[in-house]
Amino acid sequence: MAGVELTLSRERAFFILERARELEAKTPQTDPASASNPTDDKGVDILEDTPGDATRAELLAAVRGLNVDEQLDLIALTLLGRGDYEVSEWSEARRAAADVGVSRAPGLMAGSPLASDYLAEGLSQLGYDPAEFTDRR
């Protein structure tokens, strides 16, 4: 969208979006003391959110790997997607993102149950289509 320039690349935003969606699709761990193997449990453990989960680790690493401006964009995009701001209020959304603080960005993306939806909506409002990214992979 004209007037809004992201420092966060589309590729990184969509990667974070995908990891967040994968994490949100997981269910709480049901049997932490399970001694079975993936063959015995038909691979269901992969659908559970467990301590040290690779999906969570990838998401957190991706967000922590962003510079400050990219993290502010990420937070602002979620605020935009959540309906707190309009595209025309992008600078206000960025200021609000700074108030939230970049140190909270990883936790927001990994701990908010609708983070991927908000991010997808924010990107969509700026004219970015997640299908562009997934279709190229």
Side-chain angles (χ1 to χ4, degrees), residues 13-88:
F14 292 141
F15 178 83
I16 290 169
L17 172 60
E18 283 184 343
R19 294 294 89 71
R21 280 189 175 156
E22 289 172 5
L23 186 61
E24 291 165 10
K26 292 186 178 262
T27 61
Q29 188 175 20
T30 56
D31 187 9
S34 173
S36 68
N37 62 48
T39 304
D40 290 342
D41 67 15
K42 297 182 175 56
V44 233
D45 285 349
I46 193 72
L47 301 174
E48 294 183 346
D49 187 15
T50 58
D53 180 71
T55 304
R56 178 179 300 280
E58 283 181 10
L59 174 60
L60 292 173
V63 176
R64 288 180 182 134
L66 300 174
N67 67 37
V68 171
D69 282 327
E70 291 169 327
Q71 287 187 19
L72 290 175
D73 278 354
L74 183 67
I75 295 168
L77 282 166
T78 60
L79 295 174
L80 182 69
R82 194 169 73 178
D84 294 349
Y85 297 92
E86 301 291 326
V87 174
S88 62

